[in-house]
Amino acid sequence: MNSNKIAVGEFCSSCGSANCEQIFSLAQVPVNCGTLYNSVDKARNATRGEIDLSACRDCGLVFNRKYDVDLIEFGDQYEVSLGASQVFKDFQLNIARRLSENFSLKNKNVLEIGCGNGEFLELLCRVAGCDGEGIDPTAKRDGGNLGDNKISFQ
């Protein structure tokens, strides 16, 4: 078993409780939603897994009992950016402004886990005047300076 694998099964993956209720299930779901395939056949034959969402009645966590990290692939064809959409860019800008104002982020350090290519983290740092650290297995860029602020990725 992969030592980094998230425990799945009959118990809550956060608190260990067995007091969990299934709330949704779906079989044969493509697991690599960010993969760009170079043919229709490859897309149709994409790796599939199961969703079995359960809610822990003790701690409130909602988790996928059937999550299998071994099915996930972060290869060269992985891409999840929505940066080509002006509607999405406007949405991100609105969120960055709200976060900056609501949490007084100027001159603070921000960590974004699951930052993808770092577009939102970079935007937030520019808007808020803060430093940022992005963590994502798919991050394909180095950090740098944004005026007086710094940004890095790993």
Side-chain angles (χ1 to χ4, degrees), residues 14-131:
S14 178
C15 72
S17 172
N19 191 14
C20 300
E21 174 184 10
Q22 183 186 53
I23 57 175
F24 177 81
S25 67
L26 188 62
Q28 296 301 306
V29 179
V31 296
N32 295 305
C33 64
T35 300
L36 302 175
Y37 296 98
N38 58 14
S39 76
V40 172
D41 286 339
K42 285 186 179 180
R44 286 187 177 137
N45 292 313
T47 304
R48 296 175 183 270
E50 295 179 59
I51 296 175
D52 183 0
L53 292 183
S54 294
C56 177
R57 291 186 182 122
D58 291 331
C59 74
L61 178 72
V62 174
F63 63 102
N64 182 5
R65 289 185 201 216
K66 301 287 176 120
Y67 178 77
D68 186 349
V69 71
D70 293 330
L71 296 177
I72 308 299
E73 301 167 11
F74 293 114
D76 292 338
Q77 297 300 312
Y78 187 82
E79 176 58 59
V80 293
S81 174
L82 298 175
S85 164
Q86 188 59 50
V87 171
F88 191 73
K89 285 180 183 179
D90 293 344
F91 172 73
Q92 285 184 312
L93 180 59
N94 184 36
I95 290 176
R97 287 177 177 156
R98 285 189 2 229
L99 287 171
S100 176
E101 292 166 9
N102 292 344
F103 296 100
S104 304
L105 297 178
K106 186 164 182 64
N107 297 321
K108 292 187 179 173
N109 296 314
V110 174
L111 172 65
E112 184 181 8
I113 298 172
C115 68
N117 64 9
E119 288 175 349
F120 179 73
L121 180 60
E122 184 174 342
L123 174 66
L124 179 61
C125 290
R126 286 188 193 280
V127 167
C130 60
D131 292 338

